[in-house]
Amino acid sequence: MSLHHENQRAAAGGYPAQPARTGRAVWRTTIEITDAVTAELPARSKLLHVAPCRDYPNTRLDVWFEIPAEQTPMRVHTFYVEGTGHPLVDGALYVGTAMCPNGLVWHVYLDASTTAVKR
């Protein structure tokens, strides 16, 4: 925040009360660019975003997800990574699209029918 904005906030009476924080958090996992890949995420995670991996941007993708406030068991999730124009798996749910530095574009889908709780 700039000094100008700090002065405006001070003139308006200071900072508002901080909102209550929950146990929710955003986590990230990395998946390979391949036809199907599995990853363990907490149950009831909410998938948020897909982008090229920061370390290996042409061969892996980062997937961000929000974890629930309460502790939940880990679940195995199957992701499908499809190129533009490739046939899609029936029933898979769209997660996001990533444009890699090498010019390739990948579309990530979740196979909700095979997501299972790890015992």
Side-chain angles (χ1 to χ4, degrees), residues 52-114:
C53 176
R54 291 176 281 179
D55 296 326
Y56 306 98
N58 291 317
T59 59
R60 297 186 181 151
L61 300 172
D62 284 338
V63 178
W64 283 267
F65 55 97
E66 181 181 300
I67 63 167
E70 63 281 346
Q71 188 173 16
T72 60
M74 297 299 282
R75 295 182 76 139
V76 176
H77 293 72
T78 300
F79 294 96
Y80 299 110
V81 182
E82 307 290 355
T84 301
H86 294 191
L88 302 175
V89 173
D90 286 339
L93 305 172
Y94 177 75
V95 175
T97 296
M99 294 176 275
C100 295
N102 62 5
L104 297 177
V105 178
W106 301 104
H107 312 281
V108 178
Y109 285 79
L110 172 67
D111 186 347
S113 68
T114 61

